Amino acid sequence: MILIFDVGNTNITIALYSYEGQNLHEFRVITKKKRTIDELGLILNGFLSHNKISNKDIAGAIVGSVVPSVNDEILFACEKYLSIKPYCVNSKEDSQLKIPLKIKIDPNARLGADRIANGVGVLARYKKEALVLDFGTATVCDIIGADDDYLGGMISPGIHTSINALYKEATLLSFYKFNEPIKMPPTSLDEALHAGIFYTTLGAVEKITTEIKKELKQYKFKVIATGGLSYFIKGHTNAVDVYDSDLTTFGLYKIYMYNFGEKNEF
């Protein structure tokens, strides 16, 4: 089995994949920059024990991280508690990385591990052009063209990031936990905040996908939504074709297999 770490700014998703590519188990912990090696080790042992899995069953591990400050603790915890040394995907600058995705952007631009993993996951799972909408701390759109090309993308504040920013800057707004959309028109302060964030996000999704398709008419894009907050828009727009909750961890699994698997061809 392969242990997968998808390290985001808000959460770390830890998944366990079979060697054949099945997502067997998955859970999330909050991303903390001051968590100790032993804390992480206990979390990992608890995860494996809860699922009745022996440390000896773990053949390898991979870390896809956009938070470099927590990488060392994860790597050392895996070595100390699981006796494995994970491979760490940090960005496109990793010259040792073997992937089928051809990154066609500014050579000086950074491309995070999560976006690389999503691109690789799309090529392996869907095998066609795609727009990937990843809803997390940021809402990210990545464009995968023909011939396995990564063409670029967009980044905007995520749902909770937008709420937190308003809460911090607007003294009359109370903190609001985002849920499903509510009745229109909004008749309270909380409802107004809720509706504003929800429909701003929904409108951005529909406008972004429409404009990309208009500009890149030569591609027949499949629009794929992923990320921890993607379920908020599910069922509320026709702009999304597929909701794929584990695209990022699947992409990291494929990166591991391309680099360390027995059959590592693309």
Side-chain angles (χ1 to χ4, degrees):
M1 287 180 274
I2 311 301
L3 192 60
I4 313 289
F5 296 85
D6 173 21
V7 183
N9 289 291
T10 303
N11 293 314
I12 301 174
T13 301
I14 303 174
L16 196 61
Y17 274 70
S18 70
Y19 215 70
E20 295 71 33
Q22 182 182 359
N23 188 346
L24 302 173
H25 305 286
E26 182 177 295
F27 79 113
R28 295 178 181 229
V29 295
I30 294 173
T31 303
K32 290 183 179 180
K33 296 179 181 179
K34 293 185 178 180
R35 187 177 271 133
T36 68
I37 294 169
D38 293 322
E39 283 181 273
L40 282 168
L42 291 173
I43 288 171
L44 292 175
N45 277 341
F47 171 52
L48 296 177
S49 176
H50 175 74
N51 291 294
K52 298 179 173 56
I53 295 168
S54 167
N55 293 4
K56 296 178 181 179
D57 294 328
I58 309 301
I62 185 168
V63 178
S65 176
V66 298
V67 189
S69 59
V70 305
N71 292 358
D72 285 346
E73 284 74 13
I74 294 174
L75 299 179
F76 292 144
C78 286
E79 289 188 49
K80 180 176 180 179
Y81 285 88
L82 304 179
S83 299
I84 56 175
K85 186 174 182 179
Y87 177 70
C88 191
V89 182
N90 287 307
S91 68
K92 73 178 182 66
E93 284 83 5
D94 188 348
S95 61
Q96 304 301 314
L97 193 65
K98 293 190 295 184
I99 54 174
L101 189 67
K102 302 168 188 172
I103 300 173
K104 306 287 187 175
I105 61 174
D106 184 340
N108 296 317
R110 293 184 62 84
L111 188 64
D114 53 342
R115 301 174 74 183
I116 295 172
N118 284 342
V120 172
V122 163
L123 296 182
R125 184 169 277 175
Y126 299 99
K127 299 177 175 62
K128 68 169 297 180
E129 303 101 327
L131 303 180
V132 183
L133 300 167
D134 194 340
F135 294 85
T137 305
T139 298
V140 179
C141 177
D142 290 310
I143 307 168
I144 312 300
D147 302 319
D148 301 341
D149 291 342
Y150 177 90
L151 301 177
M154 304 180 191
I155 304 174
S156 62
I159 292 172
H160 285 160
T161 302
S162 298
I163 293 173
N164 290 338
L166 276 174
Y167 172 63
K168 289 178 181 179
E169 298 298 329
T171 56
L172 293 180
L173 292 179
S174 58
F175 184 77
Y176 187 77
K177 184 177 180 181
F178 197 81
N179 291 300
E180 288 293 315
I182 50 180
K183 65 181 178 67
M184 291 290 282
T187 56
S188 70
L189 192 60
D190 283 347
E191 289 178 357
L193 173 61
H194 187 153
I197 296 293
F198 178 79
Y199 288 106
T200 297
T201 301
L202 203 61
V205 165
E206 294 175 348
K207 184 64 173 175
I208 286 171
T209 54
T210 298
E211 288 301 314
I212 292 174
K213 288 179 177 180
K214 185 191 300 183
E215 290 294 323
L216 300 173
K217 295 177 182 177
Q218 65 270 38
Y219 300 117
K220 297 185 181 299
F221 290 115
K222 179 184 285 288
V223 180
I224 304 163
T226 191
L229 300 177
S230 61
Y231 64 92
F232 282 129
I233 68 163
K234 190 172 185 178
H236 300 289
T237 178
N238 294 322
V240 176
D241 298 312
V242 178
Y243 291 85
D244 189 334
S245 61
D246 68 351
L247 181 64
T248 310
T249 56
F250 175 71
L252 288 169
Y253 156 78
K254 292 300 294 186
I255 291 172
Y256 180 91
M257 297 305 292
Y258 291 146
N259 287 270
F260 304 104
E262 292 178 3
K263 297 180 179 180
N264 56 5
E265 69 274 5
F266 300 151

